[in-house]
């Protein structure tokens, strides 16, 4: 009886290999391996799979077997790609690298901009409600003064005064 189970298991493994090797090789190729390395990763995954203690229990669970094999292939592919002897050198032209570095802001500059943005937001939050609405509508949403006056139920002259005072307060807050 055990001999039949053994025979059934190996025929199942044979059909599993035959039915899924193409899809598993595609998984390895998607992980960045070339065709030969992808085939090796698939073979390594099958060897790992057969060495698992619960491989025989999965003999009649085709979906679970296929999913586990895909995971094993992905892991073997990633490990294979990371190996030093298979890693491809990164070639780059020094002029291109230097021109890219010149176009980007430094990390310190980006941090300074972010800090200034946060400070400006905090300063706007400190303004009175009407001033905050005027700043939001006029400066951030770029609405004309007449439209802002209509929205707030005031005159365009009053909007201009509120905006002037809000700018003064924002400057003082940002400098202090």
């Amino acid at each position: 009886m055990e001999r039949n189970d053994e025979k059934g298991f190996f025929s199942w493994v044979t059909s599993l290999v035959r039915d899924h090797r193409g899809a598993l090789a595609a998984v390895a190729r998607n992980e960045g391996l070339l065709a030969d390395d992808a085939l090796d990763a698939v073979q390594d995954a099958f060897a790992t799979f057969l060495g698992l203690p619960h491989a025989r229990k999965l003999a009649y669970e085709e979906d679970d077997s296929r999913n586990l094999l895909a995971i094993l292939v992905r892991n073997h592919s990633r490990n294979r790609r990371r190996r030093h002897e298979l890693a491809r050198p990164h070639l780059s032209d020094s002029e291109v690298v230097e021109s890219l570095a010149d176009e980007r802001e430094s990390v310190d500059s980006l941090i300074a901009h972010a800090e200034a943005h946060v400070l400006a937001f905090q300063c706007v939050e400190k303004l009175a409600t009407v001033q905050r609405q005027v700043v939001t509508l006029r400066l951030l949403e770029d609405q004309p003064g007449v439209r802002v006056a209509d929205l707030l139920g005031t005159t365009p002259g009053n909007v201009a005064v509120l905006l002037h005072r809000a700018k003064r307060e924002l400057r003082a807050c940002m400098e202090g």
Side-chain angles (χ1 to χ4, degrees):
M1 183 90 174
E2 191 173 310
R3 187 51 106 175
N4 269 346
D5 285 346
E6 195 74 19
K7 198 177 213 181
F9 175 73
F10 288 119
S11 68
W12 168 76
V13 169
T14 303
S15 68
L16 190 66
V17 169
R18 186 176 43 246
D19 295 342
H20 301 296
R21 66 180 173 227
L24 294 172
V27 168
R29 294 295 303 261
N30 286 338
E31 289 296 325
L33 295 183
L34 300 175
D36 291 341
D37 292 330
L39 181 61
D40 289 343
V42 170
Q43 289 174 342
D44 291 343
F46 274 115
T48 301
F49 180 80
L50 293 174
L52 294 174
H54 60 282
R56 290 187 186 276
K57 293 177 185 172
L58 293 174
Y60 301 104
E61 302 293 332
E62 188 170 338
D63 288 341
D64 290 343
S65 300
R66 184 179 55 244
N67 292 340
L68 180 58
L69 278 167
I71 291 168
L72 291 171
V73 167
R74 191 171 294 116
N75 289 341
H76 279 287
S77 298
R78 289 175 181 172
N79 289 339
R80 187 176 254 312
R81 194 182 67 227
R82 288 180 190 129
R83 287 188 192 139
H84 180 68
E85 69 270 8
L86 297 176
R88 292 182 217 113
H90 295 278
L91 302 176
S92 59
D93 185 6
S94 61
E95 290 177 21
V96 173
V97 172
E98 288 176 20
S99 71
L100 291 175
D102 291 342
E103 294 173 7
R104 297 179 61 187
E105 289 187 71
S106 70
V107 173
D108 293 335
S109 174
L110 290 172
I111 291 172
H113 280 93
E115 288 173 346
H117 182 76
V118 168
L119 180 61
F121 180 76
Q122 290 172 343
C123 289
V124 168
E125 288 297 312
K126 290 179 183 178
L127 293 174
T129 304
V130 176
Q131 285 180 325
R132 188 171 46 244
Q133 289 172 336
V134 169
V135 167
T136 302
L137 292 169
R138 286 286 287 133
L139 300 179
L140 301 178
E141 294 181 13
D142 204 25
Q143 296 286 327
V146 175
R147 171 93 172 116
V148 173
D150 289 341
L151 289 171
L152 298 178
T154 188
T155 64
N158 191 28
V159 168
V161 169
L162 288 168
L163 183 60
H164 176 73
R165 290 178 183 166
K167 284 180 180 180
R168 186 180 62 218
E169 287 182 35
L170 289 173
R171 256 188 244 106
C173 179
M174 295 288 288
E175 292 172 357

